[in-house]
Amino acid sequence: EVQLVESGGGLVQPGGSLRLSCVASGFTFSTYGMNWVRQAPGKGLEWLSAISTSGHTPYYADSVKGRFTISRDNSKNMLYLQMDSLRAEDTAVYYCAKGVGATHQIDYWGQGTLVTVSS
Amino acid sequence: DIVMTQTPLSLSVTPGQPASISCKSSQSLLYGDGKTYLYWYLQKPGQSPQLLIYQVSSRFSGVPDRFSGSGSGTDFTLKISRVEAEDVGVYYCMQGLQLPLTFGGGTKVEIK
C-alpha cells in the first residue's frame, strides 16, 4: 500500500523558514517522480514543485521559485521542501504527491501538513 | 501555463441520479505519444485528493464503475452514473501534459 506521510508544518513568522518532510513507503521510491502541492484555506490546489527520480532535476512554480527548494534522499525514501522567505500567502496545507512512473502526473497524495505564516 | 476551467462550481444531486462535470483546457492535452494527459480527482471533506480517472477515461484502482471520463483535445467530462452519499466532495480536473501542473477550480458536489 502506497503511503506518504508529511511532517514539519507549523506556525512561522513572515520572513521565516520551514522544512517539510515526506516519508514514502509501499513503492520503490527511487523510481518515481515526486511533487509538492498546496491548498490555501478554502481554496483549490496549486502545484508547487517536482523533482526527478535522481533528484538532479527540480522544477518550480513561479510563485515559489527562488524561495523554495525541493530535494529527495532515495536511500531514506524521503522527500523534502525547504521553504524560505515565507509570506502570509504561503499559508496552506502542503501535500506530498507521488508521480506516475518517472513522470510528474500525480496518483497518490499524502494527508498534508499545515503551514501557517503569521506574526 | 495551461489554464483549466471547470463548470459548474457546484452541484446538488439527488441520490441515484446522474451528475456531470465539465473541464476545458486552454490548449490540447494530447501528447505526441497519443495519450491525453487529463486527470480527475475527488477531495472528500477533510481528506486529501484521491485519483479517480487518468488519461481522460481510465479508472484508477478501486474506483467504482459509476465514475466515467470522456473527452478529447481540450474538452472533457466526468460523469457519475448514480450519485451516492459517499461521492460528496470537491472534484478537480488536472492537466499532466506539462509543468506547471495546473488544476481546475473545483466543483463541489453535495447531496440533496
Side-chain angles (χ1 to χ4, degrees):
Chain A
E1 179 193 3
V2 171
Q3 285 200 318
L4 301 166
V5 180
E6 302 93 337
S7 60
L11 175 63
V12 61
Q13 291 188 339
S17 298
L18 214 52
R19 188 198 198 202
L20 305 184
S21 300
C22 170
V23 58
S25 61
F27 62 102
T28 306
F29 181 71
S30 62
T31 64
Y32 289 87
M34 295 294 296
N35 300 270
W36 287 100
V37 179
R38 72 183 176 187
Q39 186 171 36
K43 302 297 184 182
L45 301 166
E46 179 189 13
W47 175 85
L48 298 179
S49 183
I51 191 165
S52 61
T53 54
S54 65
H56 294 153
T57 310
Y59 306 89
Y60 299 99
D62 288 344
S63 59
V64 303
K65 198 174 296 182
R67 299 190 300 124
F68 290 10
T69 304
I70 191 172
S71 62
R72 64 190 296 165
D73 185 338
N74 287 341
S75 69
K76 296 180 179 178
N77 287 1
M78 294 292 296
L79 178 71
Y80 304 101
L81 187 68
Q82 176 67 39
M83 304 187 296
D84 299 319
S85 303
L86 284 162
R87 307 165 179 165
E89 54 265 37
D90 295 319
T91 294
V93 174
Y94 285 71
Y95 295 103
C96 164
K98 173 183 165 291
V100 177
T103 72
H104 303 294
Q105 296 102 32
I106 295 169
D107 54 8
Y108 289 96
W109 303 66
Q111 88 289 348
T113 187
L114 176 63
V115 172
T116 303
V117 184
S118 174
S119 55
Chain B
D1 298 359
I2 298 175
V3 177
M4 306 296 291
T5 304
Q6 274 182 248
T7 55
L9 250 59
S10 64
L11 272 179
S12 185
V13 187
T14 300
Q17 293 301 301
S20 180
I21 300 170
S22 172
C23 176
K24 296 183 188 297
S25 57
S26 60
Q27 66 186 72
S28 175
L29 302 184
L30 175 64
Y31 188 54
D33 60 4
K35 299 177 182 177
T36 300
Y37 289 96
L38 187 281
Y39 296 74
W40 289 99
Y41 301 89
L42 165 60
Q43 186 173 30
K44 295 183 178 182
Q47 296 185 18
S48 56
Q50 58 188 82
L51 177 62
L52 296 175
I53 302 287
Y54 64 96
Q55 291 170 21
V56 179
S57 59
S58 297
R59 272 187 303 276
F60 193 52
S61 175
V63 175
D65 61 8
R66 63 179 181 275
F67 290 94
S68 64
S70 62
S72 63
T74 61
D75 289 349
F76 306 96
T77 302
L78 175 70
K79 291 183 180 177
I80 311 173
S81 59
R82 296 172 304 279
V83 172
E84 298 187 3
E86 65 182 25
D87 300 336
V88 299
V90 181
Y91 290 76
Y92 294 95
C93 59
M94 184 201 81
Q95 66 79 18
L97 179 68
Q98 65 186 46
L99 295 179
L101 302 177
T102 48
F103 297 86
T107 296
K108 185 174 184 179
V109 172
E110 60 179 22
I111 298 295
K112 278 185 183 175

